[in-house]
């Protein structure tokens, strides 16, 4: 009798299995090459940007410190997600430990929110530079950047820390296959037999509060920038300003809209293949990381010159 009772006792699991593209297994074959190339581009471009800003004394200014922070966030996000995804694609290494899964969950949520917040601070930097150029040196100082970094860290760590804790407190018995390439909060929480309403509400409220407020402030900053730019009289000034700020704004919109598409595909999951949100989730961790140093860095004349001098030293 005791043996039978013990057989029915649910066993707490300690390892999850990441199951990528269940209904479209062939995706792994054609996606592995471009994904690995994007990963190498993201890592190489961001590391080059960091080294250039570090070595070039002329780039030791607030704007480039913020750009360095953005590159660091991109590197961490890429290293947190893409190597594990590639290990699944190439070697079928699907197991991930309980602690590693929730650590990945925290880093993804926290660093994506920090990246959004960094975009917001950078938009404010451009707003002051274009709309109040004479006051720029006195407003955007090293102290301003230090306070901004503390704010970015404190706000996003404190508000995203409950996400993995809410998910880790659940009981996981029996089911341990995550229908995703990464340890996304809801993908993991659905495996539990407990009530996950709090997890859903906090993920939704926290995500839209953080990313939504950042996007509103970014939109306001670029609205004021556009008004100021259109009043410029110098020849070529409008085209140059619109080219620079326009590319920045488009990249930020891409960062935000891909999250919106991800949410919409979840809402319409009966009409969309479940593999589509998984694909978007993976790409969202590597495409912005590959584009950010190009749009923000290489298109900036000072950084372009710094990279050229760096290459001359190397060769």
């Amino acid at each position: 009798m005791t043996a039978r009772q013990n057989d029915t006792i649910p066993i707490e699991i300690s390892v999850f299995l990441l199951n990528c593209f269940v209904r479209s297994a062939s995706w792994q074959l054609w996606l592995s090459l471009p994904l690995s190339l994007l990963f190498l581009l993201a890592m190489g471009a961001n590391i080059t940007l960091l080294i250039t800003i570090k070595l070039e004394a002329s780039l030791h200014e607030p704007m480039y410190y913020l750009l360095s922070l953005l590159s660091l966030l991109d590197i961490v996000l890429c290293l947190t997600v893409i190597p594990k995804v590639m290990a699944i694609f190439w070697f079928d290494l699907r197991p991930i430990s309980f602690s590693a899964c929730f650590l990945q969950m925290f880093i993804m949520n926290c660093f994506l929110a920090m990246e959004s917040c960094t975009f917001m601070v950078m938009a404010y930097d451009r707003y002051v530079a274009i709309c109040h150029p004479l006051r720029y040196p006195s407003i955007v100082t090293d102290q301003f950047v230090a306070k901004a970094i503390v704010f970015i860290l404190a706000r996003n760590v404190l508000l995203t820390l409950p996400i993995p804790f809410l998910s880790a407190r659940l009981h996981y018995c029996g089911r341990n296959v995550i229908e995703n390439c990464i340890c996304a909060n809801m993908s993991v929480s659905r495996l539990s037999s407990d009530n996950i309403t709090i997890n859903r509400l906090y993920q939704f409220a926290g995500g839209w509060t953080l990313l939504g407020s950042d996007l509103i402030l970014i939109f306001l900053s670029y609205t004021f920038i556009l008004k100021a730019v259109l009043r410029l009289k110098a020849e070529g000034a409008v085209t140059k300003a619109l080219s620079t700020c326009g590319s920045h704004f488009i990249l930020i919109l891409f960062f935000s809209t891909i999250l919106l598409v991800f949410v919409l595909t979840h809402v319409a999951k009966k009409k969309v293949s479940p593999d589509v949100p998984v694909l978007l989730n993976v790409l969202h961790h590597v495409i912005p990381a590959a584009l950010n140093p190009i749009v923000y860095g290489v298109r900036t004349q000072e950084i372009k010159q710094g990279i050229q001098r760096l290459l001359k030293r190397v060769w």
Side-chain angles (χ1 to χ4, degrees):
M1 186 70 177
T2 305
R4 290 183 180 178
Q5 287 177 344
N6 288 337
D7 288 341
T8 62
I9 296 175
I11 300 174
E12 290 278 342
I13 62 174
S14 58
V15 175
F16 292 113
L17 293 178
L18 294 166
N19 205 12
C20 295
F21 306 129
V22 182
R23 293 162 183 79
S24 309
S26 60
W27 285 18
Q28 295 185 186
L29 297 175
W30 65 261
L31 185 60
S32 61
L33 180 58
L35 191 62
S36 58
L37 292 175
L38 280 171
F39 174 69
L40 292 175
L41 174 61
M43 295 300 294
N46 282 291
I47 290 172
T48 300
L49 196 60
L50 285 172
I51 293 173
T52 302
I53 294 174
K54 171 69 176 176
L55 297 180
E56 289 293 324
S58 61
L59 300 179
H60 294 175
E61 296 180 5
M63 180 178 70
Y64 302 113
Y65 294 148
L66 292 172
L67 190 54
S68 298
L69 175 62
L70 187 63
S71 289
L72 283 172
L73 295 175
D74 283 334
I75 288 173
V76 173
L77 277 170
C78 272
L79 290 175
T80 302
V81 173
I82 305 304
K84 180 60 179 177
V85 173
M86 298 311 300
I88 296 171
F89 285 2
W90 289 339
F91 309 110
D92 199 33
L93 297 177
R94 298 188 298 145
I96 184 169
S97 69
F98 197 82
S99 55
C101 185
F102 291 109
L103 177 61
Q104 186 191 64
M105 184 187 297
F106 169 69
I107 292 175
M108 288 189 301
N109 282 280
C110 182
F111 278 65
L112 280 174
M114 284 199 285
E115 186 163 354
S116 173
C117 197
T118 304
F119 280 136
M120 184 262 291
V121 176
M122 293 175 74
Y124 175 74
D125 170 86
R126 291 300 84 203
Y127 160 73
V128 176
I130 293 175
C131 298
H132 305 283
L134 298 179
R135 298 175 57 197
Y136 180 82
S138 62
I139 295 176
V140 184
T141 61
D142 290 350
Q143 290 78 12
F144 168 83
V145 173
K147 291 177 181 177
I149 291 174
V150 170
F151 170 74
I152 291 170
L153 290 172
R155 187 197 79 160
N156 297 293
V157 169
L158 291 175
L159 292 179
T160 57
L161 192 59
I163 292 175
F165 278 105
L166 286 172
S167 201
R169 72 180 174 83
L170 301 172
H171 296 93
Y172 298 92
C173 305
R175 293 193 302 163
N176 71 331
V177 179
I178 301 171
E179 302 295 342
N180 207 328
C181 294
I182 58 179
C183 289
N185 178 28
M186 297 316 302
S187 297
V188 177
S189 299
R190 287 194 194 98
L191 299 179
S192 173
S193 56
D194 295 341
N195 190 320
I196 61 171
T197 303
I198 296 177
N199 299 60
R200 290 177 182 275
L201 291 176
Y202 193 88
Q203 179 78 46
F204 180 82
W208 284 107
T209 299
L210 294 174
L211 301 180
S213 61
D214 291 341
L215 187 59
I216 290 171
L217 292 173
I218 290 169
F219 181 77
L220 288 174
S221 295
Y222 279 100
T223 299
F224 289 128
I225 288 172
L226 181 61
K227 289 181 178 179
V229 164
L230 294 177
R231 290 197 297 265
L232 294 175
K233 303 297 182 182
E235 185 178 352
V238 173
T239 303
K240 182 179 179 181
L242 286 177
S243 174
T244 303
C245 294
S247 58
H248 293 182
F249 189 62
I250 290 171
L251 185 58
I252 292 166
L253 278 179
F254 173 81
F255 175 86
S256 302
T257 52
I258 198 170
L259 287 177
L260 180 60
V261 171
F262 173 65
V263 171
L264 291 176
T265 51
H266 264 295
V267 173
K269 56 186 176 183
K270 292 184 178 179
K271 298 180 180 179
V272 178
S273 170
D275 290 333
V276 173
V278 174
L279 176 62
L280 290 174
N281 218 334
V282 172
L283 293 178
H284 188 252
H285 288 84
V286 67
I287 292 180
L291 294 179
N292 285 341
I294 296 173
V295 173
Y296 281 98
V298 177
R299 293 193 59 177
T300 304
Q301 189 64 28
E302 292 80 3
I303 290 182
K304 190 184 297 183
Q305 293 173 352
I307 292 175
Q308 290 172 349
R309 286 193 289 268
L310 178 64
L311 292 176
K312 286 180 181 178
R313 292 179 192 175
V314 172
W315 294 108

